[in-house]
Amino acid sequence: MAPPVQAVQTQSTQTSSTAQLMVVRRNGDVVPFDPERIERAIKKAFIAVEGTEASASNRVHNVARDLAERVTNVLRRRMSRGGIVHIEDIQDQVELALMRASEHKIARAYVLYREARIRERQELAQGQAEAPVVETPGVRMVRPDGSEVVLNDAQLMQPIQRACAGLDDVDPSLLLGEIKKNVFDGISQHELEEAFVMGTRAMVEREPNYSYVAARLLLDSLKEEAFRTALPQADPSEQTYASYFASYVRRGIEVDQLDPRLAEFDLERLAQAIDPERDRQFAYLGLQTLYDRYLLHIDDQRYELPQAMFMRVAMGLALNEIDREERAIEFYGVLSRFDFMCSTPTLFNAGTRRPQLSSCFLTTISDDLEGIFGSIKDNAMLAKFSGGLGNDWTRVRGMGARIKGTNGQSQGVVPFMKVANDTAVAVNQGGKRKGAVCAYLETWHVDIEEFLELRKNTGDDRRRTHDMNTANWIPDLFMQRVHEDAMWTLFSPDECAQLHELSGAAFVEAYEACEQKAARGELRIHKQIRAVDLWRKILSMLFETGHPWITFKDPCNLRSPQQHAGVVHSSNLCTEITLNTSDDEVAVCNLGSVNLVRHLTQQGEIDREKLEGTVRTAMRMLDNVIDINHYTVPAARHSNLRHRPVGMGIMGFQDALFIKRLPYGSAGAVEFADEYMEQVSFYAIQASAELAQERGAYRSFQGSLWSQGILPIDSLDKVAELRAPEHFTVDRTQRLDWDGLRAKVMQGMRNSNCLAIAPTATIANITGVSQSIEPIYKNLFAKSNLSGEFTIVNDYLVQDLKARGMWDEVMIHDLKYFDGSLQEIERVPEELKELYASAFEIDPSWLVRCASRRQKWIDQAQSLNLYMAEPSGPKLDRLYRLAWTTGLKTTYYLRAMGASHAEKSTIRTGRLNAVESSPKVCSILDPECEACQ
C-alpha cells in the first residue's frame, strides 16, 4: 500500500526475515512479542478449570508449552518478515489451538473469560461516555528517511476506498476500524503497509471480496517498491507501467538476471500493450504468492510487477519468433487474462539468463555404481532449476543378488534410494521450493516389499526415505492374478532384465518364462507370494503412509504414441507424464494449463471458438519452450529435441461445475468431463499438426501411432486386446470430427505428446481458480503454503447463500463449527448441500469415473488425487480396481481424513478470523505437487 501522504522520495523498508514480531495492546502500546506470555495464559486457563493442582501437573506443563509453540509458529509464518500483530489475533489463535488439542473445557473457559473482559471494557467505556471528547491529532508515520508525517482517519481511508472501488459488499469504514487495531503512534511506513494488508485479510471469511481488497492494498505497496528499485531517481507516485517497463528490462539486464536479448524488442510497443487493469484480477493469495516466490528482486527488493512478469515470460517464449513483438503480445494476452498459465519453472525462468523452463524430468537408472551415482548427480542438476523428478529404479538388482566384480552380494535398491532422498532435500532450488523426486519400482522386483515400507516411521531409518515419494509401476498381469487369487513371483532384474523392457502380451510371455526358469532352479533370486496378499500390503501402506502411488505400466505403454521409439518405464513426480526413458534419453515435459472458467459462457456452455484460439496459442508457447530451454543434462536435450513432447492440461474443473450447477458426484459432471476434455484434446492435436505444417514434424514421427492414424481415442483398442472384457469398461463416445483431423495428423505432428493434466497447485492459486481436476477441499478453511496461511472461502457458495438471505454471522459460525461442511446445517437447502459437497463428502468412485472419461482423450496421464473420508481395506480394494478397469494410467495421492476428529473453532462478535486448518491426509499435510505447477 502506498502511504496516504507522499511528500518525499522513500527508500527500502523491507523487513528482514529475522525482524522482530511486535504486539499491539488494546491501549495502543506496542511491545515485543513474548511466546512465554502465551504459555502462561494457557496454564492459567487450566488452573481456572482444574484447580491449583494443575500448576504442578506435567501434562498441563507439556500441553501449554506445545500449544504456545504452535501458536508462535502460526504467527511467525503469517508474518515471516516481521511486523505488528494485535493482541486479540494472538488470543484467537490460542482458542483455536486449545480446540485443536481437544481441550474443549479449557477453550470454553478461555472464551467466556474473554467475553467477560469485553463486557467490562464496554461498561467502562459507557461510564466515560459523558466525558469531554478530545480530538486526537492522528498517528505519526515514520518514513524510511526518518522524517515523519501525521495521518488522520481521512488520510488512512484514501487507499482503502481506492481498493474497495467496484467491489460489492465491502465496507471501507468497517475495514478502517479493523486496520486501526494494528496502527500505533510512531508506526513505520512498512509496518503501516503490513497493517493494511493484515487487517484486510482478517475480513475474508466474512466477505470473500475482501481478498481482492487485500490484493489491491498489497499491489500499492508492491508498485512503490518496484518503481523505487527499477527507477531509483524517480518519484514512485508518478510512475506507470508505460514509463517503468523499459527501465525494468534494463535494470534486470544490469543485474545479470534478464536475458540481454529482451532489450532488442520494441519495448515501447510492448509497454503500450500492457493492461494495468489486469492487476485487479488477483485475489490476495494469488498476488502474495507472486510476491513471495515469482517476482524478480534485488536483495529482496522486488523490481518486477505482475504484468511485467507476464510480458517477460511472453518475450522469453517469443525470442525465436519472426515477428517477436506480435507473438509476445499474443502470449502476454493469454497469460495476463488468466486464459492459460505456464507452469512454475517457465514463470520463474522465461526471459532470464538461464531459462530452464521444463517442469518434469524422467530417468531410468542403470544397474552399476557409475550409472546410479550419475543419475543422482543428474537429479541434483535438474532439480537446481525447479524440475520435478521421476526415477525408474527397476533395473537395479535386488537384495542378495551376486555382484560379479567383488563376488559379493547386493544390498538391493533401497540404500541407493536413501542417497537420492537426501539429495532431493539438499537441492531445494535456491530456497524457492523443496526439491522433489519420486522413485518407481515394478511389482515383480524382489525388493518390492521393502520398497513399500520406505515411508514408514518405524524400522531401520537407514532404509527409510521420509522425503522422497514412491510409486508402484504395476503390470496388468499382476492385477489379473489379484482378480484370480493366483500366485505372483518376484525376481531380481539382473536375472530377468527383459521384463523391464516389455509390456502387453510380450511381457506376459517373458514373465511366465522367468517363472518356469525359477521352477527349474535356474534363477538364484526369486520368491513366490500370493498376489492378493501383496495387493493388500500395497493398499495398507498407501493408507498408512500415503505411498506408494498406484500406477499402471501397460496402459501407459500400449497407448503411448512413441512405443516404436522406446519404453515408458515410469511416470514423473506427479504421475501425469508418461514418456520413454533410456540410458541415452532423459524424458522432459513442458507443461501449461487452460483455465476452464475463462472458457465458459454466461450460460455455462463451452466457448469453443475462444477455447480453440487459446489452445492454439498455448501449444505454440509450449513448443517454443523446447528450443529456448536451458538443459542442464545432455540426455535431456537430446530427448526433448528428438520427440518434442508437451503437456497441455486444465484447471478450474470444480469452478466450472459450480458455474454449470453440476455436483461433482453426478452423471452430469462425468459427461462434462468427457465433453470439455474431448475439445481440449481435439484443439491441442490440431494445433500440433498445424505447427508441423509450419515448422516440420518432430524427428521420431515416422512409425509413431500418429503416423499410423491412431489417435488417443483409437489406442484404447490396444488395451482392450490385452484384457478380459470385464476388466476394461471404458466409454467410447465421440462428438467431434476425429476422422477429418486424423488425415491431417498422419501428415505430421510437431509434438510426440500433447496432453497431460498436472496438479496446478500454485498456478491455480495465482489465477484464483480451483486446482486442476480437484474437488473443493472445504467451503471454508485455512490453507498453508510457503507464502503463509490464507483463509479460503468458497465464493460460489457465498453468492448462493447471499441470494437466499442466508449469509450472516451465524452461517459463518456454522461453517467453521462443521469444518467447512454444509451437510449438518439444517437451514441450507439440499440442492446446495449436494452442489457444494466437499472432497471427503463425494463418493470417490465419481472422481474415477470423471478421470476415465478424460483419460480416453489424453496421450499421457493425469494427476488424480482420490479422497476417502473413512477408508477401509474393502473400500480401497474396490476403488483401485475400478481405477484399473476403467482405463486409468495412473493415480496420485490417496487423501484420507486423519484419525483425530477435525477441530472446531470459535466465534464471537467482531472476531471472525479463527479458521480451522487442513487436517492430516495420509500422514502428509496438504500435499501438493509444487514441482509441476
Side-chain angles (χ1 to χ4, degrees):
M1 186 206 74
V5 176
Q6 295 185 0
V8 297
Q9 177 185 327
T10 57
Q11 307 265 331
S12 167
T13 62
Q14 191 70 23
T15 308
S16 72
S17 61
T18 59
Q20 188 174 18
L21 190 63
M22 306 296 289
V23 179
V24 179
R25 291 176 171 172
R26 292 184 184 85
N27 63 3
D29 291 345
V30 180
V31 298
F33 175 72
D34 181 5
E36 291 185 4
R37 294 178 66 88
I38 298 175
E39 184 175 346
R40 288 197 298 270
I42 294 173
K43 288 180 179 177
K44 287 181 180 179
F46 273 95
I47 293 171
V49 174
E50 298 180 357
T52 55
E53 63 272 15
S55 61
S57 168
N58 286 333
R59 184 189 78 84
V60 170
H61 174 77
N62 292 335
V63 169
R65 182 177 56 189
D66 179 60
L67 295 184
E69 183 177 349
R70 293 186 196 180
V71 171
T72 300
N73 290 339
V74 168
L75 294 170
R76 292 200 181 280
R77 184 169 65 245
R78 285 184 173 182
M79 307 188 72
S80 58
R81 295 186 295 276
I84 307 295
V85 62
H86 196 274
I87 185 66
E88 292 212 16
D89 293 329
I90 298 175
Q91 292 181 343
D92 285 341
Q93 288 302 318
V94 171
E95 281 184 30
L96 187 55
L98 286 167
M99 296 300 291
R100 287 174 176 169
S102 297
E103 300 288 352
H104 300 293
K105 289 183 178 180
I106 312 300
R108 183 174 183 276
Y110 190 78
V111 171
L112 293 175
Y113 169 78
R114 291 184 67 189
E115 291 181 344
R117 294 289 295 139
I118 289 172
R119 286 194 298 271
E120 289 176 11
R121 286 191 293 272
Q122 290 172 343
E123 291 170 359
L124 180 62
Q126 290 172 359
Q128 297 174 345
E130 297 181 0
V133 177
V134 179
E135 290 290 338
T136 58
V139 296
R140 290 175 300 119
M141 182 191 76
V142 181
R143 294 193 177 100
D145 62 359
S147 62
E148 297 181 355
V149 60
V150 178
L151 305 176
N152 57 34
D153 284 1
Q155 291 168 315
L156 292 172
M157 180 65 83
Q158 290 174 10
I160 296 175
Q161 290 176 327
R162 288 198 304 269
C164 291
L167 295 173
D168 295 330
D169 301 322
V170 294
D171 185 339
S173 298
L174 183 65
L175 183 53
L176 176 62
E178 188 70 25
I179 290 170
K180 285 181 65 178
K181 293 176 180 178
N182 295 330
V183 175
F184 56 93
D185 192 44
I187 192 170
S188 72
Q189 180 178 318
H190 171 67
E191 290 168 337
L192 182 61
E193 292 167 352
E194 287 273 350
F196 269 75
V197 174
M198 299 304 292
T200 306
R201 61 184 273 180
M203 305 282 285
V204 170
E205 67 185 50
R206 173 181 294 182
E207 168 50 56
N209 277 340
Y210 281 113
S211 180
Y212 295 96
V213 178
R216 294 172 185 182
L217 293 168
L218 175 60
L219 182 66
D220 284 346
S221 178
L222 169 59
K223 281 184 176 179
E224 183 174 344
E225 181 180 334
F227 290 151
R228 183 174 59 240
T229 308
L231 299 163
Q233 304 305 317
D235 184 348
S237 65
E238 298 178 0
Q239 300 307 309
T240 64
Y241 266 111
S243 62
Y244 142 89
F245 185 71
S247 299
Y248 145 77
V249 173
R250 288 192 295 268
R251 186 70 171 133
I253 294 171
E254 286 173 5
V255 298
D256 206 31
Q257 290 182 349
L258 294 185
D259 190 323
R261 290 178 292 174
L262 298 192
E264 300 170 5
F265 282 77
D266 184 343
L267 299 181
E268 183 177 352
R269 180 183 175 189
L270 297 184
Q272 293 300 320
I274 289 176
D275 184 355
E277 286 299 307
R278 293 177 188 170
D279 279 339
R280 299 174 75 83
Q281 299 175 108
F282 288 105
Y284 175 64
L285 171 58
L287 188 60
Q288 187 68 59
T289 300
L290 278 189
Y291 183 93
D292 289 337
R293 301 169 59 192
Y294 288 79
L295 301 180
L296 297 178
H297 56 86
I298 306 167
D299 296 330
D300 206 31
Q301 294 296 294
R302 275 70 182 162
Y303 67 94
E304 183 173 62
L305 291 172
Q307 299 306 313
M309 184 198 78
F310 290 138
M311 185 60 82
R312 182 254 299 168
V313 173
M315 295 163 70
L317 296 181
L319 281 169
N320 295 338
E321 295 280 2
I322 295 174
D323 189 344
R324 295 183 303 180
E325 286 77 14
E326 187 67 28
R327 289 299 183 185
I329 292 171
E330 177 187 348
F331 298 166
Y332 165 77
V334 297
L335 293 172
S336 62
R337 291 190 301 267
F338 295 171
D339 294 340
F340 166 83
M341 194 56 62
C342 298
S343 64
T344 283
T346 305
L347 296 180
F348 277 166
N349 300 322
T352 68
R353 295 296 297 269
R354 289 180 178 82
Q356 196 302 96
L357 312 179
S358 298
S359 303
C360 303
F361 300 87
L362 286 68
T363 70
T364 188
I365 296 170
S366 59
D367 185 31
D368 59 81
L369 283 179
E370 184 176 352
I372 290 170
F373 284 95
S375 295
I376 291 173
K377 177 187 175 183
D378 288 347
N379 276 3
M381 296 303 297
L382 293 167
K384 179 179 179 181
F385 294 104
S386 306
L389 309 170
N391 296 154
D392 157 40
W393 289 87
T394 299
R395 284 198 294 177
V396 178
R397 70 193 65 192
M399 182 178 290
R402 180 171 178 262
I403 302 174
K404 184 177 180 181
T406 63
N407 199 31
Q409 289 187 348
S410 170
Q411 292 300 302
V413 69
V414 169
F416 299 114
M417 289 184 177
K418 176 68 171 176
V419 178
N421 174 90
D422 295 342
T423 302
V425 174
V427 183
N428 68 350
Q429 302 167 9
K432 288 184 175 181
R433 58 183 181 177
K434 299 174 184 177
V437 61
C438 182
Y440 284 78
L441 198 71
E442 291 198 42
T443 318
W444 54 265
H445 195 290
V446 72
D447 288 347
I448 187 65
E449 292 177 282
E450 190 175 11
F451 175 79
L452 297 179
E453 298 181 344
L454 281 174
R455 292 292 296 253
K456 290 185 70 172
N457 290 321
T458 57
D460 185 352
D461 203 56
R462 293 169 297 181
R463 302 185 76 84
R464 295 289 182 264
T465 58
H466 300 298
D467 305 283
M468 184 173 70
N469 301 299
T470 61
N472 192 358
W473 196 239
I474 300 176
D476 272 12
L477 182 60
F478 174 74
M479 295 303 297
Q480 291 169 10
R481 293 199 177 178
V482 170
H483 278 274
E484 296 164 359
D485 194 11
M487 298 300 293
W488 181 250
T489 310
L490 307 178
F491 305 104
S492 181
D494 60 316
E495 296 184 297
C496 295
Q498 67 272 30
L499 299 182
H500 180 253
E501 301 299 323
L502 299 175
S503 60
F507 174 86
V508 173
E509 181 179 354
Y511 182 87
E512 292 176 346
C514 286
E515 286 189 308
Q516 293 166 11
K517 283 185 178 181
R520 295 193 298 267
E522 297 175 11
L523 299 180
R524 293 182 71 253
I525 304 295
H526 60 88
K527 177 183 178 180
Q528 274 210 324
I529 186 173
R530 189 171 164 229
V532 168
D533 290 341
L534 182 57
W535 177 242
R536 286 171 178 164
K537 183 169 184 178
I538 293 168
L539 295 179
S540 65
M541 287 297 98
L542 181 64
F543 170 63
E544 180 180 337
T545 71
H547 294 84
W549 303 327
I550 293 178
T551 58
F552 301 112
K553 172 182 180 177
D554 285 291
C556 292
N557 278 280
L558 296 177
R559 298 191 62 200
S560 169
Q562 290 295 98
Q563 53 195 264
H564 71 298
V567 178
V568 182
H569 293 119
S570 72
S571 187
N572 65 317
L573 174 65
C574 309
T575 75
E576 82 275 19
I577 303 304
T578 54
L579 300 175
N580 299 344
T581 57
S582 67
D583 290 335
D584 300 323
E585 292 190 350
V586 170
V588 185
C589 203
N590 318 289
L591 301 177
S593 298
V594 174
N595 181 354
L596 291 184
V597 177
R598 298 285 302 175
H599 297 87
L600 293 181
T601 66
Q602 291 183 345
Q603 293 72 38
E605 300 301 319
I606 300 173
D607 186 337
R608 294 182 56 174
E609 182 177 353
K610 180 177 181 179
L611 180 61
E612 181 178 5
T614 297
V615 170
R616 179 179 286 110
T617 297
M619 286 294 290
R620 190 179 194 95
M621 295 166 71
L622 292 174
D623 187 62
N624 287 355
V625 165
I626 297 166
D627 297 309
I628 296 167
N629 201 34
H630 171 71
Y631 296 97
T632 56
V633 175
R637 183 178 187 276
H638 168 67
S639 174
N640 218 22
L641 292 177
R642 182 184 179 205
H643 307 300
R644 306 188 69 85
V646 300
M648 170 78 71
I650 59 95
M651 57 185 171
F653 177 61
Q654 176 69 93
D655 294 282
L657 291 180
F658 289 152
I659 293 169
K660 293 179 69 66
R661 313 297 294 177
L662 291 172
Y664 207 124
S666 69
V670 174
E671 291 300 320
F672 178 62
D674 196 335
E675 179 187 5
Y676 81 73
M677 201 65 234
E678 179 177 11
Q679 293 190 30
V680 172
S681 176
F682 187 94
Y683 296 136
I685 294 169
Q686 174 182 266
S688 185
E690 291 171 353
L691 280 171
Q693 293 174 358
E694 175 187 343
R695 298 175 167 179
Y698 68 92
R699 295 209 303 259
S700 59
F701 171 75
Q702 292 301 326
S704 68
L705 294 190
W706 303 115
S707 69
Q708 302 171 51
I710 300 175
L711 305 183
I713 188 67
D714 308 314
S715 67
L716 291 169
D717 294 337
K718 293 184 173 293
V719 182
E721 291 169 4
L722 180 67
R723 297 187 189 174
E726 65 271 19
H727 294 162
F728 195 62
T729 55
V730 180
D731 179 275
R732 303 293 188 95
T733 304
Q734 301 179 39
R735 302 169 182 82
L736 303 180
D737 181 17
W738 289 97
D739 289 337
L741 180 59
R742 187 175 285 107
K744 183 183 293 186
V745 165
M746 292 176 69
Q747 297 174 15
M749 286 283 286
R750 182 63 176 170
N751 312 101
S752 65
N753 297 76
C754 299
L755 300 148
I757 298 180
T760 76
T762 311
I763 63 171
N765 289 341
I766 292 171
T767 53
V769 298
S770 55
Q771 295 178 17
S772 187
I773 52 178
E774 293 281 287
I776 190 170
Y777 175 63
K778 291 185 178 182
N779 290 296
L780 176 65
F781 68 102
K783 176 185 178 66
S784 296
N785 63 17
L786 294 179
S787 292
E789 192 168 279
F790 302 86
T791 298
I792 305 297
V793 186
N794 182 354
D795 188 37
Y796 296 96
L797 169 63
V798 173
Q799 296 308 315
D800 267 345
L801 293 174
K802 283 181 180 178
R804 290 164 170 78
M806 298 171 61
W807 183 246
D808 50 30
E809 291 189 5
V810 174
M811 182 61 71
I812 297 170
H813 178 284
D814 287 345
L815 272 175
K816 291 164 69 174
Y817 186 82
F818 293 114
D819 302 329
S821 171
L822 297 176
Q823 304 309 312
E824 296 184 65
I825 305 177
E826 294 182 0
R827 61 180 176 140
V828 174
E830 288 299 320
E831 63 181 279
L832 295 188
K833 291 181 179 181
E834 184 179 10
L835 179 60
Y836 295 112
S838 61
F840 291 106
E841 296 165 346
I842 300 169
D843 185 327
S845 65
W846 288 111
L847 305 181
V848 172
R849 292 186 180 100
C850 286
S852 174
R853 293 294 190 94
R854 284 186 292 262
Q855 188 63 74
K856 70 181 185 181
W857 303 114
I858 301 173
D859 53 45
Q860 294 196 71
Q862 52 195 316
S863 292
L864 177 67
N865 290 312
L866 296 174
Y867 295 80
M868 189 172 288
E870 298 178 353
S872 67
K875 287 181 181 178
L876 291 175
D877 178 55
R878 287 193 297 270
L879 183 63
Y880 282 97
R881 291 195 197 210
L882 179 66
W884 180 64
T885 58
T886 55
L888 297 193
K889 294 181 180 180
T890 63
T891 63
Y892 196 25
Y893 281 99
L894 169 67
R895 299 189 175 191
M897 291 294 288
S900 60
H901 191 271
E903 308 84 354
K904 303 296 185 290
S905 59
T906 59
I907 184 170
R908 62 184 183 283
T909 303
R911 302 307 307 165
L912 302 171
N913 62 340
V915 183
E916 178 248 329
S917 62
S918 312
K920 283 194 174 183
V921 182
C922 281
S923 304
I924 302 159
L925 285 173
D926 193 22
E928 291 181 349
C929 177
E930 293 286 351
C932 277
Q933 296 286 355

